[in-house]
Amino acid sequence: MNPVISGPLYAVVPAAGVGSRMGAGFPKQYLSLAGQTLAEHTLNRLLSFAPIHKVVVAVSADDPWWPTLAVSGHPRIQTVAGGDTRADSVRNGVAAVLDEGGADAWVLVHDMARPLIRLSDIQSLLDQTGPQGAILALPVVDTIKQAAEEKHIAATLDRAHIWRALTPQLFPAQALLAALQGDLATITDEASAMERDGWQPGLVAGHSDNIKITVPDDLPLARFYLSRQQSDDSSEGEPW
Ligand code: CTP
Ligand code: MG
């Protein structure tokens, strides 16, 4: 293990969203992908990564689907209450990590809606992080425009310096909990909370199949990426 990660490693998985853009009528993590729910894909991958001590899942208090999944009773899964925003849900999960793991714990925060995470990308993140933490991300490929009012272009940004933030995002749990206090309205990922506190997390290049399933069109795309992962890795017996 990277010596920077001095304490136990945990995962926190925010899963208390309603999936409004998916429009399924229930939270999107319970949609099926190749015979398993998205939640089971995500959690089985995290649980199969041995260095993760425990996976803390933040779900809505009134979520009737979560307890019906066998994985919700796994000995390395802990359930906590979600919050009104993703950042609130993550904060509750990180608080539980500190309670159990102590002040030296590190935490990987990963969206439940990203079921195609590769264990090799998690390993890269752990290998490449420095003491300020790091996130999986991808350099953008499109030309990026800054918009002015009324949908006019104000500027073209230098694409060489623009990355898309993915998850997992890796930080010391105590510092992350401190960063997730106060106004969370503009906090859409963990790194932005840390940046607000003056940290400069690292960028680790991930894979573009680590999509966040958000709209209905993402499901056929996920099926394609999953089958490609399965054929790439068939000799190893694991589908990723
Ligand atoms: N999430 C959460 N608590 C919230 C809102 C979101 O834990 N109050 C979680 C979601 O369950 C998801 C992740 O954060 O795993 C990323 O959020 P997103 O993709 O936006 O999911 P939803 O909020 O469910 O979808 P939508 O925004 O379309 O309603
Ligand atoms: Mg959302």
Side-chain angles (χ1 to χ4, degrees), residues 12 56 78 80 88-102 107 173 176-177 180-181:
V12 164
V56 178
Q78 182 179 344
V80 298
D88 290 313
S89 299
V90 171
R91 192 195 51 227
N92 293 352
V94 176
V97 167
L98 272 172
D99 278 350
E100 191 190 286
V107 63
L176 180 56
L177 186 63
L180 290 172
Q181 307 298 320

Side-chain angles (χ1 to χ4, degrees), residues 1-7 104-106 125-134 170-172 199:
M1 181 66 87
N2 181 339
V4 156
I5 301 171
S6 49
D104 292 334
W106 278 63
L125 187 61
L126 293 170
D127 290 344
Q128 293 178 44
T129 190
Q132 308 246 323
L170 173 67
F171 294 103
W199 290 50

Side-chain angles (χ1 to χ4, degrees), residues 13-22 27-29 58 82-90 110-114 212-214:
V13 179
V18 295
S20 57
R21 286 169 287 180
M22 183 59 73
K28 61 193 179 185
Q29 67 255 25
D84 289 343
T85 67
R86 182 183 176 284
D88 290 313
S89 299
V90 171
H110 183 63
D111 290 326
M112 188 67 104
R114 295 186 190 270
K212 181 161 71 81
I213 296 189
T214 307

Side-chain angles (χ1 to χ4, degrees), residues 109-126:
V109 180
H110 183 63
D111 290 326
M112 188 67 104
R114 295 186 190 270
L116 299 176
I117 180 63
R118 296 169 182 235
L119 304 196
S120 58
D121 276 356
I122 302 178
Q123 190 62 56
S124 301
L125 187 61
L126 293 170

Side-chain angles (χ1 to χ4, degrees), residues 35-59:
Q36 276 192 334
T37 61
L38 301 182
E40 289 166 307
H41 282 283
T42 303
L43 296 174
N44 287 336
R45 289 183 182 211
L46 294 174
L47 288 168
S48 71
F49 191 75
I52 296 177
H53 192 66
K54 219 177 225 189
V55 180
V56 178
V57 183
V59 295

